[in-house]
Amino acid sequence: GFLPAETATGLAMQALEALQHAHTLTYLDELGNSGIGIIHRDIKPANILLDEHGNLKLTDFGIARALGANRVTKTGISPGTIEYMSPEQIRGVPVDARSDLYSFGVTLYEMLSGSPPFQMAASGSDYDVLKAHVEEDPPSLRTLNPDISLALSDIVDRSLKKSPGERWQSAAEFREALLSEPVVRTQRQISVGGGAFASAEPETPSRPPLRQTHPRTIRRRWIRWITAGAAVLALGIVAILFDRSWKRFGTPHDTA
């Protein structure tokens, strides 16, 4: 199945915030050289985890690489997962942060439709999937899930462009596009896995409305307060009388 659009976009904004952090991270390598930016290179649902409160964690940076360090494998294909690899990963050419955005676009497509745009053939051959990533347009999201808006479908489509220059140019830009989508702004809190998380757009503070109290409720409150006051007064009188009686007749110790 697939996730409701509100849930998928809420999760997507968390994931893109994590990607933006990785892509702009200042780091030191083992030689003490500093650099900026880490590419994940294996974005897929299995590497996106949720806790019981709906907080998203981007995991498994096992094949991540610093921006600019674009070595590939001996076969010419960068490591990754076939269904989520960007066209440039498949071609074995240098990749940048926009490759991660393509892979996340595939992931968001799967959230909204129930399956990635290009699936492994029954034969288990990788060739058709690799070829489709490089040459074919994905099936329209709205044909698979008519409930999503045209704007949201267009946002995902842009993330899946074959040329990196035609995609979202940063995770922040991708996230901002989702944030402007009305479905995110109208759904402030989204339930996921028994928990909940707030959408990234803060709600405008406002004064809570004045509560109108029914007259009958007011009368009942007065009756409870009067009854409680009478009970306290009665207890006070009993205590005073008891104290006087005790002093009049004395204690057993005084009598002895």
Side-chain angles (χ1 to χ4, degrees), residues 54-128:
N55 299 310
L56 182 145
K57 303 294 181 182
L58 187 60
T59 68
D60 194 359
F61 282 76
I63 62 171
R65 187 169 299 284
L67 280 170
N70 288 305
R71 292 175 294 171
V72 297
T73 63
K74 291 181 179 179
T75 60
I77 298 178
S78 298
T81 303
I82 297 297
E83 288 88 349
Y84 305 91
M85 289 176 70
S86 69
E88 54 269 34
Q89 274 182 294
I90 294 168
R91 293 193 184 102
V93 299
V95 300
D96 58 24
R98 294 171 295 183
S99 177
D100 281 349
L101 300 184
Y102 180 94
S103 298
F104 184 71
V106 175
T107 301
L108 182 54
Y109 184 104
E110 183 173 0
M111 288 184 191
L112 294 166
S113 69
S115 61
F118 310 117
Q119 299 185 63
M120 191 79 69
S123 62
S125 171
D126 296 342
Y127 176 77
D128 290 339

Side-chain angles (χ1 to χ4, degrees), residues 8-30:
T9 49
L11 292 173
M13 288 191 293
Q14 290 195 67
L16 288 166
E17 186 175 5
L19 272 177
Q20 180 68 13
H21 179 75
H23 293 163
T24 58
L25 179 70
T26 300
Y27 64 87
L28 289 174
D29 65 17
E30 63 273 14

